[in-house]
Amino acid sequence: GAGVSQSPRYKVAKRGQDVALRCDPISGHVSLFWYQQALGQGPEFLTYFQNEAQLDKSGLPSDRFFAERPEGSVSTLKIQRTQQEDSAVYLCASSSHIDSPLHFGNGTRLTVT
Amino acid sequence: SQKIEQNSEALNIQEGKTATLTCNYTNYSPAYLQWYRQDPGRGPVFLLLIRENEKEKRKERLKVTFDTTLKQSLFHITASQPADSATYLCALFKYGGSQGNLIFGKGTKLSVKP
């Protein structure tokens, strides 16, 4: 596709449920990033992949958060046992090289009730 | 750790004026700075990149400056239009840095009134 695609666009989960957020990066982009954005804040780094290798996961808030990119293209961010503080917009971005500008998707807005 | 401050949460200006947004940082000097625009409900969109050895970069009505001595970048929109209303984010990139090498500020929400 022409841009980064994220699904679902909105997700409402009851506290304690598991959720999976999907990201389809721009074809051929090596680098893939996940960010969390709270209302009125800038994107906060979660994790970074280069192809299928997860090179940095230092931003994941807890071990309930898990990301994968098994074939070096589509990525999934999974959150287990969701809590209210997980409510945020989750942004995915890709780039052709590590130091190239990022192309963002429009995010998944997660609301945990 | 690296800290980024964008001058204000909100900036209101009149159409036709020049908007100036500030991005200040502490600690290490980045290899380059990026500026992004974000509209409500959308992901950020890349606008401009300026490297540490560049003083100024221009693109149409946009101009970015980078002063490594002051640890500051200024982002200017000349002849502003209501369509320029959005949140503008600065981001610092450092090779081998943490957080995937790129750290974002909180953003400045610009409102251009007709």
Side-chain angles (χ1 to χ4, degrees):
Chain A
V4 176
S5 178
Q6 292 188 247
S7 60
R9 190 79 173 86
Y10 303 94
K11 178 70 179 176
V12 178
K14 287 190 179 353
R15 189 165 60 93
Q17 282 185 333
D18 297 349
V19 298
L21 313 180
R22 177 187 169 104
C23 173
D24 281 88
I26 291 174
S27 178
H29 275 193
V30 168
S31 301
L32 185 145
F33 300 78
W34 283 98
Y35 289 88
Q36 180 189 63
Q37 188 172 30
L39 192 63
Q41 302 294 312
E44 294 281 342
F45 172 80
L46 293 176
T47 187
Y48 156 62
F49 290 85
Q50 187 164 317
N51 295 307
E52 68 277 5
Q54 189 174 20
L55 297 187
D56 187 344
K57 56 181 181 179
S58 62
L60 296 177
S62 74
D63 58 9
R64 295 186 296 104
F65 286 70
F66 172 76
E68 59 183 5
R69 193 186 186 197
E71 297 179 0
S73 56
V74 171
S75 177
T76 304
L77 176 67
K78 297 178 180 177
I79 309 174
Q80 298 176 322
R81 304 181 303 282
T82 52
Q83 300 178 7
Q84 282 194 316
E85 60 262 31
D86 300 335
S87 296
V89 174
Y90 290 86
L91 293 166
C92 175
S94 69
S95 66
S96 54
H97 301 287
I98 179 61
D99 58 355
S100 299
L102 300 184
H103 297 259
F104 281 87
N106 287 325
T108 294
R109 179 177 295 279
L110 173 66
T111 304
V112 181
T113 60
Chain B
S1 61
Q2 183 65 281
K3 186 177 177 184
I4 304 169
E5 290 182 356
Q6 293 193 240
N7 57 325
S8 59
E9 290 188 2
L11 180 64
N12 299 309
I13 64 169
Q14 205 66 33
E15 183 176 8
K17 301 292 185 184
T18 296
T20 299
L21 286 64
T22 305
C23 178
N24 295 295
Y25 59 93
T26 59
N27 298 338
Y28 62 75
S29 283
Y32 59 76
L33 274 160
Q34 299 177 4
W35 283 87
Y36 289 80
R37 168 184 174 141
Q38 187 171 25
D39 290 282
R42 314 281 289 191
V45 175
F46 170 74
L47 295 175
L48 279 169
L49 179 155
I50 186 165
R51 300 187 183 280
E52 59 180 337
N53 60 349
E54 297 175 318
K55 296 290 186 187
E56 182 179 298
K57 215 53 164 319
R58 290 176 185 262
K59 179 182 176 183
E60 298 173 352
R61 294 184 296 111
L62 309 181
K63 184 178 85 171
V64 173
T65 62
F66 192 4
D67 189 325
T68 56
T69 301
L70 293 178
K71 296 190 175 181
Q72 181 181 82
S73 175
L74 299 179
F75 178 81
H76 306 272
I77 306 175
T78 57
S80 59
Q81 304 166 0
D84 295 327
S85 298
T87 295
Y88 292 86
L89 301 160
C90 76
L92 276 62
F93 179 92
K94 178 177 173 67
Y95 290 101
S98 61
Q99 302 186 33
N101 304 321
L102 190 66
I103 300 174
F104 283 86
K106 290 185 178 181
T108 296
K109 185 176 180 180
L110 174 67
S111 295
V112 181
K113 305 298 184 185

